[in-house]
Amino acid sequence: MSRINVVFRNKAEVQDDCRKWAAEISRDFSFDAIVFVAKSGFLFAEAMADELGVPMADISASRPGNDNKDRIVKAVPKMPRFLLAFLLKSKMQISYNKGNSERNIEVSDKLRTLCENKPNRILIVDDSVDTGWTIIKVKEELARMVPDADIKVAGYCVLDSSSDLVKTDYYRYRNMIVVTATSRYSSEYREFVNSYETWKKS
């Protein structure tokens, strides 16, 4: 298995990076809509959509077992960074996820509305493509909803463990986990959740 690095970045740093990333992707793939994997993907997609002035919508793909991970991090808010990094890149956790293909897909009202307008080129945005199963399920759902659309995938971070299952067309970092406002560990987590909830109601 390739070595996985863990870095810590604040919300502003990630969003500034995503604006540059969106501009780079658009030179190769002129997408007219973004669909992000909720809720973590919101942080990345929001900056990208704002940069290029394209609409975005959310889709949920929950993985059985995520609740256990969330409870661990929530229960130990003062966990040292080195310990959190160790847990995130644990081979046992990655191996479990790779064998767990089940995903519960939920299509939002925003996504239904977006697909009714029949976008031609859709960019799926996720924070991390680790096994590839989430992207497979999301892409299948979008292909069903908009069968004529050209759909590509952008994962801010991509792990080599996903390459056997899915192609990530664009990525910012390889074999890296970025801990940012989307993590319960972050002091910006509550602000991130509030921003996402406000957007959902808009």
Side-chain angles (χ1 to χ4, degrees), residues 26-42:
S26 68
R27 290 195 285 270
D28 179 69
F29 181 57
S30 184
F31 54 94
D32 52 11
I34 289 176
V35 175
F36 67 87
V37 182
K39 63 184 174 270
S40 294
F42 174 71

Side-chain angles (χ1 to χ4, degrees), residues 6-10 13-14 79-86 88 177-180 183 185:
V6 178
V7 299
F8 295 80
R9 292 185 179 154
N10 63 40
E13 289 172 330
V14 170
M79 184 183 296
R81 284 190 172 188
F82 78 89
L83 180 56
L84 179 62
F86 173 79
L88 287 173
I177 297 172
V178 176
V179 180
T180 184
S183 169
Y185 178 87

